Amino acid sequence: MKKCIKITLFALCISSQTFSQDWVLQFKSRIEKDDKGLAGATITVLKGGSQISQVVTSADGNFKIDIPPNDDFIVVISKEGHRTKKIQISTKGVPPEKNKDNFKNEFKIEAISLFEPYVGVDYSPLDQPLVKVNYNGAKNVFDYDAAYSDQMLNTLGRLRATEKSLDLKYTASNAAGDAAIRKRDWVNAKSSYNAALEVKPTATYPKEQLAKIEQFIKDEEAAKAKAEADKAAAAKAAADKAAADKLAADKAAADKATADKAAADKAAADKLAADKAAADKAAADKAAGEKAAADKAAADKAAADKLAAENAAKEKAAADKAAADKAAGEKAAADKASADKAAADKLAAENAAKEKAAADKLAADKAAADKLAAENAAKEKAAADKAAADKAAGEKAAADKLAADK
């Protein structure tokens, strides 16, 4: 599968292929400047700000670098005097069943351009990644984020519009400088090239032209000095000749021999001194350059080591805190579960006591009711027996009285 993005400030064409978990993603591209391969550009892979790997582009601008699997990375493309660009690559999300024997793990961007920045242009949008690359599970490929790329295209379009007016000024200044050089108008030529450098301070062409102008001026001064020297020499020669004509031929020959030797000795001494001065300066410049490079390498390594140590300390502190938080959470959950069980047991015991008290009260109430009913029945029976006895006694007394009366 192949997708292409065309951008004024950078043009790239992306080829995507499937990957596996046991792979190392090989990222390839070509760094260009003005549609030509740019040698010596640095490609750095960063993970969380720490350098993972780094390569330098070849003479034709090509490079390839390995991206580890299952993590997020920033690829930084840079070269001194040029605007740095970034690409975000996430190698997460590849299904675990993928394996390196079934897939060729390669991701390619056809071309990425670097350019010399203009003065007065806000390039801060380029601090963000130009492209975001992720694994697309639906397509089973690594692909770029189309919405994000469209957003960056709009941003880069606005940057290019700003650059266009400055580019016209830069081009016009160089053209004016070239025209002034053709007229040997060094003052206006230098002014024009310096105006071009105000737009693009890192541009090489105006610097080269300014160097040529200095050489032209030196050549003119040298020619003027030579003409004056030749004129003086001619005057002296004429005087010497007039004097020589008045002197004997042998004295004229001796004077000429002495003058020739003095001139040769002076020329040899001047050349020796000039050669020595040039050699001393070259040696000093080389030593200074080597020392500066060594100092920078040492400083870069110290900074990288410090950043790595700080990142390791931060990761350990985060891991320790996470472990402590987890242990505290588990203890709190256990304590709550124990408290909940104790509360449940207490409530069950209280409910059982209440139910027993209610049952005991019901039994007591029934016994009291049964006793009252028995007492009432006994009283009713006693009253009934007494009423029956009284009736029988009354009836017997009446009968006895009737019999007696009779």
Side-chain angles (χ1 to χ4, degrees), residues 123-292:
Y123 290 104
S124 60
L126 294 182
D127 294 336
Q128 303 299 318
L130 294 176
V131 176
K132 291 184 178 180
V133 179
N134 303 280
Y135 179 75
N136 187 328
K139 298 180 180 179
N140 196 31
V141 296
F142 274 87
D143 206 351
Y144 67 91
D145 186 329
Y148 180 83
S149 295
D150 290 341
Q151 177 185 344
M152 289 304 296
L153 280 172
N154 292 333
T155 300
L156 294 172
R158 290 192 293 271
L159 279 178
R160 185 53 186 160
T162 303
E163 286 183 323
K164 189 173 182 180
S165 62
L166 294 174
D167 189 55
L168 291 174
K169 180 180 178 182
Y170 173 77
T171 303
S173 296
N174 283 331
D178 294 345
I181 281 183
R182 288 192 293 271
K183 297 176 182 178
R184 306 187 75 79
D185 182 356
W186 310 133
V187 173
N188 286 327
K190 290 170 70 173
S191 177
S192 297
Y193 291 127
N194 283 322
L197 287 174
E198 289 177 1
V199 178
K200 293 178 72 173
T202 60
T204 57
Y205 181 76
K207 292 179 181 179
E208 291 172 350
Q209 294 300 94
L210 286 170
K212 288 180 180 179
I213 290 172
E214 293 301 325
Q215 188 59 50
F216 289 151
I217 292 173
K218 288 179 181 179
D219 291 345
E220 285 185 348
E221 290 175 349
K224 182 178 179 182
K226 184 176 184 301
E228 291 176 352
D230 290 345
K231 182 179 179 181
K236 184 178 183 300
D240 289 344
K241 184 176 184 299
D245 289 343
K246 295 178 181 180
L247 297 175
D250 55 347
K251 187 176 186 307
D255 290 344
K256 184 177 184 303
T258 301
D260 290 343
K261 183 177 184 304
D265 291 343
K266 184 178 183 301
D270 290 345
K271 183 177 185 304
L272 181 62
D275 291 344
K276 183 177 184 303
D280 291 344
K281 185 177 182 303
D285 291 345
K286 180 180 178 184
E290 291 173 348
K291 183 177 184 302

